[in-house]
Amino acid sequence: MVYIILAAGTGSRLHPITLKHPKSLFSLDDHTTILQRMVNMLRKWSPQAEIVIVCGFQHRVLEGYVSGVQWVYNPFYKVTNSLASLWFAKDYLDREVTILNGDIVMSEQLIWEVVTQSTDRPEILMDSSIKEGDYNVQAEHGQVIVMSKELTSYTGEYAGVTKLDRNSAMQLREQLCEMVEDGRYDTWYEDALVQMIFERNFSLYAKDISAYEWTEVDSVDDLVYAKKIHEKESKNRG
């Protein structure tokens, strides 16, 4: 399994605390950052994993914190979005792959029961318990109809993880290349999946993870909750 972690952004919604510090390097305890925790968990539950991290903002700082991974650099991170970042890692989209946003903290149970499990179809993770989400999913009978920040009616919030079998990964690579060639590189890569649904009759499925603890760190409150998830599991292991 290949895991692509997208960590190139500037964390603008958390300015000023992210002006010189990537949010994926926020500390969860004295020894563990958000990014380190995810890499450690993937290695624990998917020992043969190939982990690829797409970096941009403060990339040299990031590279100093995590070793044993493949680094891909998006030099245009200031004027692009995650679609371009994933395009820079497109050579890895020829096999089964899991794509994760770099600011996610998930319970260990979610990582080993869902994230690191093999898939034979394209699937995104969604939380139906969240009623005021950021990037949301409308699904019917487990299949995604649309994903967008603009939805007023939706099934749940997108959890920042996409799992693809080899065939759907290659289809996504083709879509990314087409959109970059058209100059549409300043959007989210998930928008490429939506384009595929509407233009290519692409079947994308949604897995509800509302029974698990997780958060995407977009605010100080999210960071507090992320630390609670990490702290609780650390105490249980201790």
Side-chain angles (χ1 to χ4, degrees):
M1 174 82 77
V2 174
Y3 299 89
I4 301 176
I5 300 175
L6 301 176
T10 62
S12 58
R13 281 183 286 187
L14 277 165
H15 285 176
I17 61 176
T18 53
L19 284 171
K20 295 184 178 181
H21 190 82
K23 64 178 175 177
S24 59
L25 293 187
F26 282 170
S27 295
L28 299 173
D29 61 28
D30 291 341
H31 311 288
T32 311
T33 66
I34 291 172
L35 185 60
Q36 286 171 320
R37 183 181 191 276
M38 180 58 76
V39 169
N40 291 343
M41 290 290 182
L42 294 177
R43 285 175 174 159
K44 178 178 180 179
W45 294 108
S46 187
Q48 305 305 314
E50 182 175 8
I51 300 174
V52 179
I53 302 178
V54 184
C55 55
F57 174 66
Q58 294 284 309
H59 67 100
R60 290 186 178 86
V61 177
L62 279 175
E63 292 168 10
Y65 273 83
V66 181
S67 60
V69 302
Q70 300 295 319
W71 291 98
V72 174
Y73 178 49
N74 172 7
F76 308 111
Y77 65 89
K78 286 186 178 180
V79 294
T80 62
N81 211 317
S82 64
L83 187 144
S85 290
L86 187 56
W87 178 86
F88 277 101
K90 64 184 180 299
D91 289 347
Y92 295 95
L93 295 176
D94 61 355
R95 66 207 84 173
E96 185 180 346
V97 61
T98 296
I99 306 164
L100 308 99
N101 291 344
D103 56 355
I104 302 172
V105 174
M106 294 178 158
S107 69
E108 185 170 0
Q109 183 181 8
L110 174 54
I111 291 171
W112 76 263
E113 287 186 352
V114 178
V115 174
T116 57
Q117 296 301 308
S118 183
T119 187
D120 59 0
R121 66 182 189 177
E123 184 175 69
I124 56 96
L125 304 190
M126 173 201 73
D127 190 334
S128 64
S129 70
I130 297 178
K131 304 306 180 185
E132 295 183 5
D134 181 29
Y135 194 92
N136 298 304
V137 181
Q138 189 179 100
E140 186 173 319
H141 305 300
Q143 190 163 333
V144 176
I145 306 302
V146 67
M147 298 190 293
S148 174
K149 281 180 171 288
E150 309 303 326
L151 291 175
T152 56
S153 175
Y154 47 85
T155 313
E157 182 179 30
Y158 171 62
V161 178
T162 299
K163 297 178 65 64
L164 302 171
D165 63 296
R166 180 176 183 271
N167 181 57
S168 57
M170 294 177 68
Q171 290 182 65
L172 176 58
R173 181 175 66 181
E174 182 179 341
Q175 182 70 33
L176 292 174
C177 290
E178 179 181 304
M179 293 176 73
V180 167
E181 288 178 9
D182 288 345
R184 292 180 286 168
Y185 43 73
D186 59 346
T187 187
W188 294 274
Y189 85 85
E190 292 88 354
D191 292 344
L193 295 171
V194 174
Q195 288 289 114
M196 292 162 66
I197 292 171
F198 283 95
E199 296 178 2
R200 305 186 182 206
N201 200 30
F202 181 69
S203 294
L204 179 64
Y205 298 87
K207 183 174 184 63
D208 189 0
I209 59 167
S210 57
Y212 300 91
E213 289 188 302
W214 74 279
T215 187
E216 188 165 16
V217 179
D218 286 326
S219 69
V220 175
D221 286 342
D222 293 338
L223 180 58
V224 171
Y225 182 45
K227 288 186 175 185
K228 288 181 179 178
I229 294 172
H230 180 72
E231 181 182 7
K232 181 168 66 174
E233 293 187 343
S234 298
K235 287 181 178 178
N236 291 339
R237 285 193 294 270

CSV table of all heavy atoms in Angstrom, one decimal, residues 29-82:
chain,number,residue,atom,x,y,z
A,29,ASP,N,2.2,16.0,22.1
A,29,ASP,CA,2.8,15.9,23.4
A,29,ASP,C,4.3,16.4,23.3
A,29,ASP,O,4.6,17.0,22.3
A,29,ASP,CB,2.7,14.5,24.0
A,29,ASP,CG,3.4,13.5,23.1
A,29,ASP,OD1,4.4,13.8,22.4
A,29,ASP,OD2,3.0,12.3,23.1
A,30,ASP,N,5.1,16.1,24.3
A,30,ASP,CA,6.5,16.6,24.2
A,30,ASP,C,7.3,16.0,23.1
A,30,ASP,O,8.4,16.5,22.8
A,30,ASP,CB,7.1,16.4,25.6
A,30,ASP,CG,6.6,17.2,26.7
A,30,ASP,OD1,5.9,18.2,26.4
A,30,ASP,OD2,6.8,16.9,27.9
A,31,HIS,N,6.9,14.9,22.6
A,31,HIS,CA,7.7,14.1,21.6
A,31,HIS,C,7.0,13.9,20.3
A,31,HIS,O,7.7,13.3,19.4
A,31,HIS,CB,8.1,12.8,22.2
A,31,HIS,CG,8.7,12.9,23.6
A,31,HIS,ND1,9.9,13.4,23.9
A,31,HIS,CD2,8.1,12.5,24.8
A,31,HIS,CE1,10.1,13.3,25.2
A,31,HIS,NE2,9.0,12.8,25.8
A,32,THR,N,5.7,14.2,20.1
A,32,THR,CA,5.0,13.8,19.0
A,32,THR,C,4.2,14.9,18.3
A,32,THR,O,3.5,15.6,19.0
A,32,THR,CB,3.9,12.7,19.4
A,32,THR,OG1,4.6,11.7,20.2
A,32,THR,CG2,3.3,12.1,18.1
A,33,THR,N,4.4,15.1,17.0
A,33,THR,CA,3.7,16.0,16.2
A,33,THR,C,2.5,15.3,15.5
A,33,THR,O,2.5,14.1,15.4
A,33,THR,CB,4.5,16.8,15.2
A,33,THR,OG1,5.0,15.8,14.2
A,33,THR,CG2,5.7,17.4,15.9
A,34,ILE,N,1.6,16.1,14.9
A,34,ILE,CA,0.5,15.6,14.2
A,34,ILE,C,1.0,14.6,13.0
A,34,ILE,O,0.6,13.5,12.9
A,34,ILE,CB,-0.4,16.7,13.6
A,34,ILE,CG1,-1.1,17.4,14.7
A,34,ILE,CG2,-1.3,16.1,12.5
A,34,ILE,CD1,-1.8,18.7,14.2
A,35,LEU,N,2.0,15.1,12.3
A,35,LEU,CA,2.6,14.4,11.2
A,35,LEU,C,3.3,13.1,11.6
A,35,LEU,O,3.1,12.0,11.1
A,35,LEU,CB,3.5,15.3,10.3
A,35,LEU,CG,4.0,14.6,9.0
A,35,LEU,CD1,2.9,14.3,8.1
A,35,LEU,CD2,5.0,15.6,8.4
A,36,GLN,N,4.1,13.3,12.7
A,36,GLN,CA,4.8,12.1,13.2
A,36,GLN,C,3.9,11.0,13.7
A,36,GLN,O,4.1,9.8,13.5
A,36,GLN,CB,5.7,12.5,14.4
A,36,GLN,CG,7.0,13.3,13.9
A,36,GLN,CD,7.7,13.9,15.1
A,36,GLN,OE1,7.1,14.4,16.1
A,36,GLN,NE2,9.0,13.8,15.1
A,37,ARG,N,2.8,11.4,14.3
A,37,ARG,CA,1.8,10.4,14.8
A,37,ARG,C,1.2,9.6,13.7
A,37,ARG,O,1.1,8.4,13.8
A,37,ARG,CB,0.7,11.1,15.6
A,37,ARG,CG,-0.3,10.2,16.3
A,37,ARG,CD,-1.4,10.9,17.0
A,37,ARG,NE,-2.2,10.0,17.8
A,37,ARG,CZ,-3.2,9.3,17.4
A,37,ARG,NH1,-3.6,9.5,16.1
A,37,ARG,NH2,-3.9,8.5,18.2
A,38,MET,N,0.8,10.3,12.6
A,38,MET,CA,0.2,9.6,11.5
A,38,MET,C,1.2,8.7,10.9
A,38,MET,O,0.9,7.5,10.6
A,38,MET,CB,-0.3,10.6,10.5
A,38,MET,CG,-1.0,9.9,9.3
A,38,MET,SD,-2.4,8.8,9.7
A,38,MET,CE,-3.7,10.1,10.0
A,39,VAL,N,2.4,9.1,10.6
A,39,VAL,CA,3.4,8.3,10.0
A,39,VAL,C,3.7,7.1,10.9
A,39,VAL,O,3.8,5.9,10.4
A,39,VAL,CB,4.7,9.1,9.8
A,39,VAL,CG1,5.9,8.1,9.4
A,39,VAL,CG2,4.5,10.1,8.7
A,40,ASN,N,3.8,7.3,12.2
A,40,ASN,CA,4.1,6.2,13.1
A,40,ASN,C,3.0,5.1,13.1
A,40,ASN,O,3.2,3.9,13.2
A,40,ASN,CB,4.3,6.7,14.6
A,40,ASN,CG,5.6,7.5,14.7
A,40,ASN,OD1,6.5,7.4,13.9
A,40,ASN,ND2,5.7,8.3,15.8
A,41,MET,N,1.7,5.6,13.1
A,41,MET,CA,0.6,4.7,13.1
A,41,MET,C,0.5,3.9,11.8
A,41,MET,O,0.2,2.7,11.8
A,41,MET,CB,-0.7,5.5,13.3
A,41,MET,CG,-0.9,6.1,14.7
A,41,MET,SD,-1.2,4.8,15.9
A,41,MET,CE,-1.4,5.8,17.3
A,42,LEU,N,0.8,4.6,10.7
A,42,LEU,CA,0.8,3.9,9.4
A,42,LEU,C,1.8,2.8,9.4
A,42,LEU,O,1.6,1.7,8.9
A,42,LEU,CB,1.0,4.9,8.2
A,42,LEU,CG,-0.1,5.9,8.0
A,42,LEU,CD1,0.2,6.8,6.9
A,42,LEU,CD2,-1.5,5.2,7.7
A,43,ARG,N,3.0,3.1,9.9
A,43,ARG,CA,4.1,2.1,9.9
A,43,ARG,C,3.7,0.9,10.8
A,43,ARG,O,4.1,-0.2,10.6
A,43,ARG,CB,5.4,2.8,10.4
A,43,ARG,CG,6.0,3.6,9.3
A,43,ARG,CD,7.2,4.3,9.9
A,43,ARG,NE,8.0,5.1,8.9
A,43,ARG,CZ,8.8,6.1,9.1
A,43,ARG,NH1,9.0,6.5,10.4
A,43,ARG,NH2,9.4,6.7,8.2
A,44,LYS,N,3.0,1.2,11.9
A,44,LYS,CA,2.7,0.2,12.9
A,44,LYS,C,1.7,-0.8,12.3
A,44,LYS,O,1.8,-2.0,12.4
A,44,LYS,CB,2.1,0.8,14.2
A,44,LYS,CG,1.7,-0.2,15.2
A,44,LYS,CD,1.1,0.5,16.4
A,44,LYS,CE,0.7,-0.6,17.5
A,44,LYS,NZ,0.2,0.1,18.7
A,45,TRP,N,0.7,-0.3,11.6
A,45,TRP,CA,-0.4,-1.1,11.1
A,45,TRP,C,-0.3,-1.5,9.7
A,45,TRP,O,-1.1,-2.3,9.2
A,45,TRP,CB,-1.8,-0.4,11.4
A,45,TRP,CG,-2.0,-0.3,12.9
A,45,TRP,CD1,-2.0,0.8,13.7
A,45,TRP,CD2,-2.3,-1.4,13.8
A,45,TRP,NE1,-2.2,0.5,15.0
A,45,TRP,CE2,-2.4,-0.8,15.1
A,45,TRP,CE3,-2.5,-2.8,13.6
A,45,TRP,CZ2,-2.7,-1.6,16.2
A,45,TRP,CZ3,-2.8,-3.6,14.8
A,45,TRP,CH2,-2.9,-3.0,16.0
A,46,SER,N,0.6,-0.9,9.0
A,46,SER,CA,0.9,-1.3,7.6
A,46,SER,C,2.4,-1.3,7.4
A,46,SER,O,3.0,-0.4,6.8
A,46,SER,CB,0.2,-0.3,6.6
A,46,SER,OG,0.3,-0.7,5.3
A,47,PRO,N,3.1,-2.4,8.0
A,47,PRO,CA,4.5,-2.4,8.0
A,47,PRO,C,5.2,-2.3,6.7
A,47,PRO,O,6.4,-1.8,6.6
A,47,PRO,CB,4.8,-3.7,8.7
A,47,PRO,CG,3.6,-4.1,9.5
A,47,PRO,CD,2.5,-3.5,8.6
A,48,GLN,N,4.6,-2.7,5.6
A,48,GLN,CA,5.2,-2.7,4.3
A,48,GLN,C,4.9,-1.4,3.5
A,48,GLN,O,5.1,-1.3,2.3
A,48,GLN,CB,4.8,-3.9,3.5
A,48,GLN,CG,5.1,-5.2,4.1
A,48,GLN,CD,6.5,-5.4,4.5
A,48,GLN,OE1,7.4,-5.1,3.7
A,48,GLN,NE2,6.8,-5.9,5.7
A,49,ALA,N,4.3,-0.5,4.2
A,49,ALA,CA,3.8,0.7,3.6
A,49,ALA,C,4.9,1.6,3.0
A,49,ALA,O,6.0,1.7,3.5
A,49,ALA,CB,3.0,1.6,4.6
A,50,GLU,N,4.6,2.2,1.8
A,50,GLU,CA,5.5,3.2,1.2
A,50,GLU,C,4.8,4.5,1.5
A,50,GLU,O,3.6,4.7,1.0
A,50,GLU,CB,5.7,3.0,-0.2
A,50,GLU,CG,6.6,4.0,-0.9
A,50,GLU,CD,6.9,3.7,-2.3
A,50,GLU,OE1,6.2,2.8,-2.9
A,50,GLU,OE2,7.7,4.4,-2.9
A,51,ILE,N,5.4,5.4,2.3
A,51,ILE,CA,4.8,6.6,2.7
A,51,ILE,C,5.4,7.8,1.9
A,51,ILE,O,6.6,7.9,1.9
A,51,ILE,CB,4.9,6.8,4.2
A,51,ILE,CG1,4.3,5.7,5.0
A,51,ILE,CG2,4.3,8.2,4.6
A,51,ILE,CD1,4.5,5.7,6.5
A,52,VAL,N,4.6,8.6,1.3
A,52,VAL,CA,5.0,9.7,0.5
A,52,VAL,C,4.4,11.0,1.1
A,52,VAL,O,3.2,11.0,1.3
A,52,VAL,CB,4.5,9.5,-1.0
A,52,VAL,CG1,5.0,10.8,-1.8
A,52,VAL,CG2,5.0,8.2,-1.6
A,53,ILE,N,5.2,12.0,1.3
A,53,ILE,CA,4.7,13.2,1.9
A,53,ILE,C,5.0,14.3,0.9
A,53,ILE,O,6.1,14.6,0.5
A,53,ILE,CB,5.4,13.6,3.2
A,53,ILE,CG1,5.1,12.4,4.2
A,53,ILE,CG2,4.8,14.9,3.8
A,53,ILE,CD1,5.8,12.7,5.6
A,54,VAL,N,3.9,15.0,0.5
A,54,VAL,CA,4.0,16.2,-0.4
A,54,VAL,C,4.1,17.4,0.5
A,54,VAL,O,3.2,17.7,1.3
A,54,VAL,CB,2.8,16.3,-1.3
A,54,VAL,CG1,3.0,17.4,-2.3
A,54,VAL,CG2,2.6,15.0,-2.1
A,55,CYS,N,5.2,18.1,0.3
A,55,CYS,CA,5.5,19.3,1.1
A,55,CYS,C,5.6,20.5,0.3
A,55,CYS,O,5.7,20.5,-0.9
A,55,CYS,CB,6.8,19.1,2.0
A,55,CYS,SG,8.2,18.7,1.0
A,56,GLY,N,5.6,21.7,0.9
A,56,GLY,CA,5.7,23.0,0.2
A,56,GLY,C,6.1,24.0,1.2
A,56,GLY,O,7.3,24.3,1.4
A,57,PHE,N,5.2,24.6,2.0
A,57,PHE,CA,5.5,25.6,3.0
A,57,PHE,C,6.4,25.0,4.1
A,57,PHE,O,6.1,23.9,4.6
A,57,PHE,CB,4.1,26.0,3.6
A,57,PHE,CG,4.3,26.9,4.8
A,57,PHE,CD1,4.8,28.2,4.7
A,57,PHE,CD2,3.9,26.5,6.1
A,57,PHE,CE1,5.0,29.1,5.7
A,57,PHE,CE2,4.0,27.4,7.2
A,57,PHE,CZ,4.6,28.6,7.0
A,58,GLN,N,7.5,25.7,4.3
A,58,GLN,CA,8.5,25.3,5.4
A,58,GLN,C,8.9,23.8,5.1
A,58,GLN,O,9.1,23.0,6.1
A,58,GLN,CB,7.8,25.4,6.8
A,58,GLN,CG,7.6,26.9,7.2
A,58,GLN,CD,8.8,27.6,7.6
A,58,GLN,OE1,9.6,27.2,8.4
A,58,GLN,NE2,9.0,28.8,7.0
A,59,HIS,N,9.2,23.5,3.9
A,59,HIS,CA,9.4,22.1,3.6
A,59,HIS,C,10.7,21.5,4.2
A,59,HIS,O,10.8,20.4,4.6
A,59,HIS,CB,9.5,21.9,2.0
A,59,HIS,CG,10.6,22.5,1.4
A,59,HIS,ND1,11.8,21.8,1.0
A,59,HIS,CD2,10.8,23.8,1.0
A,59,HIS,CE1,12.6,22.7,0.4
A,59,HIS,NE2,12.1,23.9,0.4
A,60,ARG,N,11.7,22.4,4.4
A,60,ARG,CA,13.0,21.9,5.0
A,60,ARG,C,12.7,21.6,6.5
A,60,ARG,O,13.3,20.7,7.0
A,60,ARG,CB,14.1,23.0,4.8
A,60,ARG,CG,14.6,23.1,3.4
A,60,ARG,CD,15.8,24.0,3.3
A,60,ARG,NE,16.3,24.1,1.9
A,60,ARG,CZ,15.8,24.9,1.0
A,60,ARG,NH1,14.8,25.7,1.3
A,60,ARG,NH2,16.3,24.9,-0.2
A,61,VAL,N,11.9,22.4,7.1
A,61,VAL,CA,11.5,22.1,8.5
A,61,VAL,C,10.8,20.7,8.6
A,61,VAL,O,11.1,19.9,9.5
A,61,VAL,CB,10.6,23.2,9.1
A,61,VAL,CG1,10.2,22.9,10.5
A,61,VAL,CG2,11.4,24.5,9.1
A,62,LEU,N,9.8,20.5,7.8
A,62,LEU,CA,9.1,19.2,7.7
A,62,LEU,C,10.1,18.1,7.5
A,62,LEU,O,10.0,17.1,8.3
A,62,LEU,CB,8.1,19.2,6.6
A,62,LEU,CG,6.7,19.9,6.9
A,62,LEU,CD1,5.9,19.9,5.6
A,62,LEU,CD2,6.0,19.3,8.0
A,63,GLU,N,10.9,18.2,6.6
A,63,GLU,CA,11.8,17.1,6.3
A,63,GLU,C,12.8,16.8,7.4
A,63,GLU,O,13.2,15.6,7.5
A,63,GLU,CB,12.6,17.4,5.0
A,63,GLU,CG,11.8,17.5,3.7
A,63,GLU,CD,12.5,18.1,2.5
A,63,GLU,OE1,13.7,18.3,2.6
A,63,GLU,OE2,11.8,18.4,1.5
A,64,GLY,N,13.0,17.7,8.3
A,64,GLY,CA,13.9,17.5,9.4
A,64,GLY,C,13.2,16.7,10.6
A,64,GLY,O,13.8,16.2,11.5
A,65,TYR,N,11.8,16.6,10.5
A,65,TYR,CA,11.1,16.0,11.6
A,65,TYR,C,10.7,14.5,11.3
A,65,TYR,O,10.4,13.8,12.2
A,65,TYR,CB,9.8,16.7,11.9
A,65,TYR,CG,10.0,17.8,12.9
A,65,TYR,CD1,10.4,19.1,12.4
A,65,TYR,CD2,9.6,17.7,14.2
A,65,TYR,CE1,10.6,20.1,13.3
A,65,TYR,CE2,9.8,18.7,15.1
A,65,TYR,CZ,10.3,19.9,14.7
A,65,TYR,OH,10.4,21.0,15.6
A,66,VAL,N,10.7,14.1,10.0
A,66,VAL,CA,10.2,12.8,9.7
A,66,VAL,C,11.3,12.1,8.8
A,66,VAL,O,11.7,12.7,7.8
A,66,VAL,CB,8.8,12.8,9.0
A,66,VAL,CG1,8.4,11.4,8.7
A,66,VAL,CG2,7.8,13.5,9.9
A,67,SER,N,11.7,10.9,9.1
A,67,SER,CA,12.6,10.2,8.2
A,67,SER,C,12.0,8.9,7.7
A,67,SER,O,11.0,8.5,8.2
A,67,SER,CB,13.9,9.9,9.1
A,67,SER,OG,13.6,9.1,10.2
A,68,GLY,N,12.7,8.3,6.7
A,68,GLY,CA,12.2,7.1,6.2
A,68,GLY,C,11.0,7.1,5.3
A,68,GLY,O,10.3,6.1,5.1
A,69,VAL,N,10.7,8.3,4.7
A,69,VAL,CA,9.6,8.5,3.8
A,69,VAL,C,10.1,9.1,2.5
A,69,VAL,O,11.3,9.6,2.4
A,69,VAL,CB,8.5,9.4,4.4
A,69,VAL,CG1,8.0,8.9,5.7
A,69,VAL,CG2,9.1,10.8,4.6
A,70,GLN,N,9.3,9.0,1.5
A,70,GLN,CA,9.6,9.7,0.2
A,70,GLN,C,9.0,11.1,0.3
A,70,GLN,O,7.9,11.3,0.6
A,70,GLN,CB,9.0,8.9,-0.9
A,70,GLN,CG,9.5,7.5,-1.1
A,70,GLN,CD,10.9,7.4,-1.4
A,70,GLN,OE1,11.4,8.2,-2.2
A,70,GLN,NE2,11.6,6.5,-0.8
A,71,TRP,N,9.8,12.1,-0.1
A,71,TRP,CA,9.4,13.5,-0.1
A,71,TRP,C,9.2,13.9,-1.5
A,71,TRP,O,9.9,13.7,-2.4
A,71,TRP,CB,10.4,14.4,0.5
A,71,TRP,CG,10.6,14.2,2.0
A,71,TRP,CD1,11.5,13.4,2.6
A,71,TRP,CD2,9.7,14.7,3.0
A,71,TRP,NE1,11.3,13.4,4.0
A,71,TRP,CE2,10.2,14.2,4.3
A,71,TRP,CE3,8.6,15.5,3.0
A,71,TRP,CZ2,9.6,14.5,5.5
A,71,TRP,CZ3,8.0,15.9,4.2
A,71,TRP,CH2,8.5,15.4,5.5
A,72,VAL,N,8.0,14.6,-1.7
A,72,VAL,CA,7.7,15.3,-3.0
A,72,VAL,C,7.5,16.8,-2.7
A,72,VAL,O,6.7,17.1,-1.8
A,72,VAL,CB,6.5,14.6,-3.7
A,72,VAL,CG1,6.1,15.4,-4.9
A,72,VAL,CG2,6.7,13.2,-4.0
A,73,TYR,N,8.1,17.6,-3.5
A,73,TYR,CA,8.0,19.1,-3.2
A,73,TYR,C,7.1,19.8,-4.2
A,73,TYR,O,7.3,19.6,-5.4
A,73,TYR,CB,9.4,19.7,-3.2
A,73,TYR,CG,9.5,21.2,-3.0
A,73,TYR,CD1,8.8,21.8,-1.9
A,73,TYR,CD2,10.3,22.0,-3.8
A,73,TYR,CE1,8.9,23.1,-1.7
A,73,TYR,CE2,10.3,23.3,-3.6
A,73,TYR,CZ,9.7,23.9,-2.5
A,73,TYR,OH,9.7,25.3,-2.3
A,74,ASN,N,6.2,20.5,-3.7
A,74,ASN,CA,5.4,21.4,-4.6
A,74,ASN,C,5.9,22.8,-4.4
A,74,ASN,O,5.6,23.5,-3.5
A,74,ASN,CB,3.9,21.3,-4.2
A,74,ASN,CG,3.0,22.4,-4.9
A,74,ASN,OD1,3.5,23.1,-5.8
A,74,ASN,ND2,1.8,22.5,-4.5
A,75,PRO,N,6.7,23.3,-5.4
A,75,PRO,CA,7.3,24.6,-5.2
A,75,PRO,C,6.3,25.8,-5.4
A,75,PRO,O,6.6,26.9,-5.1
A,75,PRO,CB,8.4,24.7,-6.3
A,75,PRO,CG,7.9,23.7,-7.4
A,75,PRO,CD,7.2,22.7,-6.6
A,76,PHE,N,5.1,25.4,-5.9
A,76,PHE,CA,4.1,26.5,-6.2
A,76,PHE,C,3.0,26.4,-5.2
A,76,PHE,O,1.9,26.8,-5.5
A,76,PHE,CB,3.6,26.2,-7.6
A,76,PHE,CG,4.6,26.1,-8.7
A,76,PHE,CD1,4.9,24.9,-9.3
A,76,PHE,CD2,5.4,27.2,-9.0
A,76,PHE,CE1,5.9,24.8,-10.3
A,76,PHE,CE2,6.4,27.1,-10.0
A,76,PHE,CZ,6.6,25.9,-10.6
A,77,TYR,N,3.3,26.0,-3.9
A,77,TYR,CA,2.3,25.8,-2.9
A,77,TYR,C,1.5,27.1,-2.6
A,77,TYR,O,0.4,27.1,-2.2
A,77,TYR,CB,2.9,25.3,-1.6
A,77,TYR,CG,3.9,26.2,-1.0
A,77,TYR,CD1,3.5,27.1,0.0
A,77,TYR,CD2,5.3,26.1,-1.3
A,77,TYR,CE1,4.4,28.0,0.6
A,77,TYR,CE2,6.2,27.0,-0.7
A,77,TYR,CZ,5.7,27.9,0.3
A,77,TYR,OH,6.6,28.7,0.9
A,78,LYS,N,2.2,28.3,-2.8
A,78,LYS,CA,1.5,29.5,-2.5
A,78,LYS,C,0.4,29.9,-3.4
A,78,LYS,O,-0.6,30.6,-3.1
A,78,LYS,CB,2.5,30.7,-2.5
A,78,LYS,CG,3.4,30.7,-1.3
A,78,LYS,CD,4.3,31.9,-1.3
A,78,LYS,CE,5.2,32.0,0.0
A,78,LYS,NZ,6.1,33.2,0.0
A,79,VAL,N,0.5,29.4,-4.7
A,79,VAL,CA,-0.5,29.8,-5.7
A,79,VAL,C,-1.3,28.6,-6.2
A,79,VAL,O,-2.1,28.7,-7.1
A,79,VAL,CB,0.2,30.5,-6.9
A,79,VAL,CG1,0.7,31.8,-6.4
A,79,VAL,CG2,1.2,29.6,-7.5
A,80,THR,N,-1.1,27.4,-5.5
A,80,THR,CA,-1.9,26.2,-5.9
A,80,THR,C,-2.6,25.7,-4.7
A,80,THR,O,-2.6,26.2,-3.6
A,80,THR,CB,-1.0,25.1,-6.5
A,80,THR,OG1,0.0,24.7,-5.5
A,80,THR,CG2,-0.2,25.7,-7.7
A,81,ASN,N,-3.3,24.5,-5.0
A,81,ASN,CA,-4.0,23.9,-3.9
A,81,ASN,C,-3.7,22.4,-3.9
A,81,ASN,O,-2.7,22.0,-4.6
A,81,ASN,CB,-5.5,24.1,-4.0
A,81,ASN,CG,-6.2,24.1,-2.6
A,81,ASN,OD1,-5.9,23.3,-1.8
A,81,ASN,ND2,-7.1,25.1,-2.4
A,82,SER,N,-4.4,21.6,-3.2
A,82,SER,CA,-4.1,20.2,-3.1
A,82,SER,C,-4.1,19.4,-4.4
A,82,SER,O,-3.4,18.4,-4.5
A,82,SER,CB,-5.0,19.5,-2.0
A,82,SER,OG,-6.3,19.4,-2.5
